[in-house]
Amino acid sequence: MLRTRVIPCLLLEDEGLVKSINFKKPTYIGDPINSVRIYNELEVDELIFLDIKASINSTPPPFKKLEMIASECFMPFSYGGGIRTLDDVKKLFDLGVEKVVLNTIACENLYFITQIADIYGSQSVIISIDVKKPLFGQNRVYIKDGTKKSQYTPIEYVKIVENYGAGEIMLNSIDKEGLMDGFDLALIDKISDAIDIPLIATGGAGELLDIKKAKDAGASAIALGSMAVYQNKNRGILINFPTQKELTTILNED
């Protein structure tokens, strides 16, 4: 049996580490390099970095900062934000990034997913899907850091991107992000049933039990945001991560 992956998901803005709530008002957490060093000591298996403003501001990935991160990082890491071209993808992989995370660009140009998958393999492409429920109507996929509603429902979109070559889906509930009150388990359940590729659940974890609930709902992996940068729900800044013993116990995995 494959062990459930639990991954810190770290947000970058102006090359600093931040944390938001419902995709709003990012709070400065610290320097990402120092955070990487702490995660090295905690023996975290992998990391995800997302530049939350790159697509909105039409800026490229922060290659120099990512090169510094790669030089310090003992574990594989994925990156998303501002990726627009195959040259961007090549530069990221040359720097040591293991997987690229696509959000806005994938929705605007589905064939870009196929292009990357054809060259580097589907396993190198994560499609990040941000979901929000409007005041009236059903859940929709949002792009540009949650500021623009797309034409797709989540179920429609995950099936499409899987068909275009996505290797993994990272599912984030905008309504739950940063609140630390649990995942949207019904959404995870529906999306996991709709696809045959791994699903990374993120957005809402506040305690160890939330990780188990996401797994039981169908998530193949769980990405932690607030839990990885805050000491507790009072949001005192502390770069941390559950121990392997804690994860093994809560997930019932030996």
Side-chain angles (χ1 to χ4, degrees), residues 37-171:
R37 290 169 179 158
I38 295 171
Y39 288 125
N40 285 338
E41 294 177 0
L42 294 173
E43 298 182 342
V44 170
D45 290 334
E46 61 181 295
L47 295 172
I48 297 173
F49 286 95
L50 303 176
D51 189 316
I52 61 175
K53 297 302 181 184
S55 292
I56 291 179
N57 297 333
S58 298
T59 54
F63 294 112
K64 290 184 178 179
K65 176 62 74 172
L66 292 169
E67 184 176 15
M68 294 171 63
I69 289 172
S71 68
E72 294 285 348
C73 199
F74 293 169
M75 72 289 290
F77 73 97
S78 305
Y79 171 79
I83 301 169
R84 306 294 300 180
T85 68
L86 287 174
D87 187 54
D88 289 337
V89 175
K90 183 180 185 304
K91 287 180 180 178
L92 290 169
F93 287 147
D94 287 347
L95 287 176
V97 172
E98 183 186 49
K99 302 175 185 178
V100 290
V101 184
L102 308 180
N103 185 290
T104 299
I105 182 62
C107 196
E108 294 175 341
N109 178 12
L110 290 164
Y111 183 59
F112 191 51
I113 304 170
T114 306
Q115 288 179 299
I116 299 171
D118 284 348
I119 298 171
Y120 299 103
S122 291
Q123 80 289 337
S124 67
V125 186
I126 301 173
I127 302 302
S128 172
I129 300 177
D130 299 325
V131 177
K132 183 178 181 180
K133 188 172 184 179
L135 187 60
F136 301 102
Q138 58 184 326
N139 281 326
R140 307 294 291 195
V141 174
Y142 279 69
I143 59 175
K144 293 188 178 294
D145 193 33
T147 61
K148 182 180 179 181
K149 183 169 67 174
S150 79
Q151 62 182 306
Y152 300 110
T153 66
I155 297 293
E156 292 170 342
Y157 189 56
V158 294
K159 292 179 179 178
I160 290 170
V161 298
E162 181 177 15
N163 187 54
Y164 271 81
E168 288 185 87
I169 300 294
M170 185 163 72
L171 179 68

Side-chain angles (χ1 to χ4, degrees), residues 176-177 179-185 203-207 210 233:
K176 288 284 191 177
E177 190 266 335
L179 294 179
M180 303 183 75
D181 64 355
F183 292 97
D184 186 334
L185 299 175
E207 59 184 10
D210 292 327
K233 293 183 181 181

